[in-house]
Amino acid sequence: MNRQSLPFVALTKRFLKAWVSGAQDELIASARVINGSLLVRNCALPEIEVSAKDIPALKAFSESQLQHFTISKSGSYLHCPESDIHLDFDTIRYYTDPEWKKRTDRLSVTRNKRFGAAVMSLRVESNLK
């Protein structure tokens, strides 16, 4: 991904939409690759740096393959068309912020337990084994 630069008007619209919808912490404003690291800035302006080697889906990527990522029009994710990988800001945050990782893992366990209970309930109601 070469340093992606949107025309000023398009980038301004992305920022404004993010702030109006309250999604400035989740939507990506810009991204670039330097020496095997992703540098991603959200619409609230903090920039996160993470080595591509720290993200399991990117471990095997070469520097030149990393250059093929693009930012979705809405800024909701980075996309690599060759391998159909989508990375949102929260995924990148997951690999850089230990507290975010703990919180996300706790929420995932809770959500998975509720989902499992719902599936079991449906199976019992339908007499499925």
Side-chain angles (χ1 to χ4, degrees), residues 48-128:
I48 292 179
E49 179 177 350
V50 60
S51 171
K53 303 297 181 207
D54 291 339
I55 300 175
L58 303 181
K59 278 187 179 185
F61 274 51
S62 68
E63 181 83 18
S64 64
Q65 287 173 305
L66 290 172
Q67 300 298 326
H68 296 142
F69 273 91
T70 59
I71 302 173
S72 70
K73 187 175 180 180
S74 66
S76 57
Y77 58 87
L78 298 175
H79 179 244
C80 182
E82 296 173 358
S83 53
D84 200 29
I85 292 176
H86 296 73
L87 295 173
D88 62 14
F89 197 78
D90 287 345
T91 299
I92 296 164
R93 187 182 296 165
Y94 183 87
Y95 293 104
T96 60
D97 182 342
E99 288 304 313
W100 181 264
K101 184 178 191 311
K102 283 182 201 174
R103 180 177 170 265
T104 301
D105 288 346
R106 278 193 312 269
L107 288 172
S108 181
V109 167
T110 301
R111 203 176 1 235
N112 289 345
K113 284 181 181 179
R114 285 193 311 233
F115 182 77
V119 169
M120 180 177 240
S121 175
L122 287 172
R123 285 178 43 210
V124 169
E125 286 176 21
S126 302
N127 291 321
L128 297 172

Side-chain angles (χ1 to χ4, degrees), residues 5-18 29 73:
S5 55
L6 284 176
F8 179 75
V9 172
L11 187 56
T12 302
K13 284 181 181 178
R14 182 183 293 164
F15 270 94
L16 291 174
K17 284 181 180 178
K73 187 175 180 180

